[in-house]
Amino acid sequence: MQERQADIIEIASLDTFVLGARVSQGPLSSLGVMPVRRACLLRVRDADGAHGWGEIWCNFPPRGAESRAHLVADVIAPVLLGMRFSSWLEVRPSLEAALGRMAIHTGEAGAFAQCIAGIDLAVADLAARRAMMSMTTFLGGGATTAQVYASTPSGGDLRERCAGILDLGHRAIKLKIGYDADADQSAVAACREIVGPQFGLMVDANQAWDCEQAIARINSLARYEIDFVEEPLRADAPLDQWCRLAQAVRVPIAAGENIVGENAFAEVMTARALRVVQPDVAKWGGVSGALAVGRRANVLGLRCCMHFMGSGLGLAASLHVLAAIGGDGAVELDVNENPLRTELGPLDLAVRDGALPVPVGCGFGFDPDAAALRRLSLH
């Protein structure tokens, strides 16, 4: 057998794991509720037996995890298996080129992007493991902790939830808004009263408003010293509307989970439509995409925060990527019940002074526990 070059990656197998857990109270937003927490994990192996893990975004629809797993098995795996790459960085653009027409033809561009993001994560993990480096080191970073913010407290009394989050060591929180104006104002006012003036407070409208509504709503909330407002407009609103909004309010505008492609991110950043960019490693781009976006944000003097709401695996990846990007960003840390985050594998979730430790070990430093995979599997 001909000896392979050290960096050559030949994909030999691709396995998906569909996971789910019903919870008493899932995240609630103006888009709906997630009563069942889902995850679609992905494991790749190369021809030499090395492996890596990734995660595919699948929060919606309710059976999104099953859908993504079938898309990988039926369409993407036959293209990827047997392909050889001289670098892990070649995998995502190769798949985007090979599958672009199919994504258009099926009208499932988002699902394809999410699956390719999961593969990029897994191949990056594999490459870092082969190099016997942590992902942060592999990407050229050196931080050992990453700032986080408590995301989307749902269910129960909001004041009690906020007080509990404060006690857990958090230093910032993100609330869901986008309901009626009075409800939004009451929630933000209550949270600010409990956490105090020095605590970071962000809000997420989940694309709820048009431009004029957003200007009015954001300006009415500005008195509460909001760190950023996430997705106040539909993600597909024209760029000039995002720019107009950014100029009409003093609260920083954030978005990114529904931006697809480096060019699309570059456009909104260059136009100064956003002051906070939020790539999601499991939704578009994986490690390679989020890293490129974050580094561009640093050059432009913008803040990069990692959007994430999934399993412990994707959270570990997000911590590593932010640690490699550097800057003053933070990772979204869902504070609702989710066994897929807390029981799937070893991950230190004890927040200390608003930060989590970046997982140690090779790659993401996260191997899903075999027993947990079986227990949480929907197959």
Side-chain angles (χ1 to χ4, degrees), residues 181-232:
D182 290 342
D184 288 349
Q185 184 123 344
S186 295
V188 174
C191 181
R192 177 55 80 197
E193 180 184 347
I194 293 298
V195 301
Q198 303 304 315
F199 201 87
L201 175 56
M202 296 82 79
V203 295
D204 183 356
N206 284 116
Q207 310 181 65
W209 306 317
D210 63 28
C211 191
E212 296 306 318
Q213 289 174 321
I215 292 171
R217 295 289 187 92
I218 294 169
N219 282 334
S220 74
L221 295 172
R223 76 185 82 169
Y224 300 107
E225 297 301 320
I226 307 297
D227 287 0
F228 67 68
V229 56
E230 180 177 337
E231 287 199 324

Side-chain angles (χ1 to χ4, degrees), residues 85 95 99 106 116 127 210 264 281 316 319 322 356 367:
F85 304 95
L95 285 176
L99 297 165
T106 58
I116 293 171
D210 63 28
V281 296
L319 293 168
L322 185 70
L356 281 180
D367 271 295

Side-chain angles (χ1 to χ4, degrees), residues 76-351:
I76 300 176
V79 173
L80 182 61
L81 295 179
M83 293 182 73
R84 302 178 83 240
F85 304 95
S86 59
S87 166
W88 71 276
L89 290 167
E90 295 178 358
V91 176
R92 177 172 61 85
S94 296
L95 285 176
E96 289 173 345
L99 297 165
R101 289 187 302 145
M102 180 63 75
I104 294 170
H105 181 70
T106 58
E108 294 195 79
F112 273 92
Q114 294 147 21
C115 291
I116 293 171
I119 292 169
D120 184 280
L121 285 166
V123 175
D125 188 38
L126 182 154
R129 288 170 185 261
R130 290 200 337 182
M132 294 186 292
M133 296 180 181
S134 75
M135 183 61 66
T136 301
T137 303
F138 184 68
L139 298 175
T144 59
T145 64
Q147 291 295 307
V148 298
Y149 61 88
S151 176
T152 320
S154 302
D157 181 81
L158 179 61
R159 290 175 177 269
E160 291 181 2
R161 293 295 311 270
C162 290
I165 286 167
L166 188 63
D167 291 342
L168 287 173
H170 286 280
R171 296 293 176 265
I173 188 172
K174 185 179 81 173
L175 299 182
K176 292 290 190 181
I177 59 171
Y179 305 101
D180 68 78
D182 290 342
D184 288 349
Q185 184 123 344
S186 295
V188 174
C191 181
R192 177 55 80 197
E193 180 184 347
I194 293 298
V195 301
Q198 303 304 315
F199 201 87
L201 175 56
M202 296 82 79
V203 295
D204 183 356
N206 284 116
Q207 310 181 65
W209 306 317
D210 63 28
C211 191
E212 296 306 318
Q213 289 174 321
I215 292 171
R217 295 289 187 92
I218 294 169
N219 282 334
S220 74
L221 295 172
R223 76 185 82 169
Y224 300 107
E225 297 301 320
I226 307 297
D227 287 0
F228 67 68
V229 56
E230 180 177 337
E231 287 199 324
L233 305 179
R234 277 180 50 144
D236 61 354
L239 180 60
D240 62 351
Q241 291 187 18
W242 285 92
C243 292
R244 179 168 179 268
L245 175 61
Q247 293 166 4
V249 300
R250 67 177 178 86
V251 178
I253 303 301
E257 65 174 294
N258 291 310
I259 298 176
V260 176
E262 290 180 46
N263 291 339
F265 271 102
E267 183 178 36
V268 295
M269 287 192 285
T270 302
R272 301 289 168 169
L274 303 176
R275 284 163 60 186
V276 181
V277 292
Q278 300 172 294
D280 187 316
V281 296
K283 204 167 188 183
W284 170 78
V287 171
S288 64
L291 187 69
V293 167
R295 286 177 171 169
R296 182 185 288 267
N298 285 347
V299 170
L300 294 174
L302 305 175
R303 189 181 184 201
C304 179
C305 289
M306 302 302 297
H307 180 277
F308 188 71
M309 188 167 285
S311 83
L313 173 60
L315 177 59
S318 299
L319 293 168
H320 274 285
V321 172
L322 185 70
I325 290 170
D328 62 348
V331 174
E332 181 171 16
L333 179 58
D334 173 25
V335 294
N336 295 288
E337 180 186 2
N338 187 359
L340 307 182
R341 181 182 68 252
T342 57
E343 300 176 18
L344 188 58
L347 188 61
D348 186 349
L349 294 172
V351 178

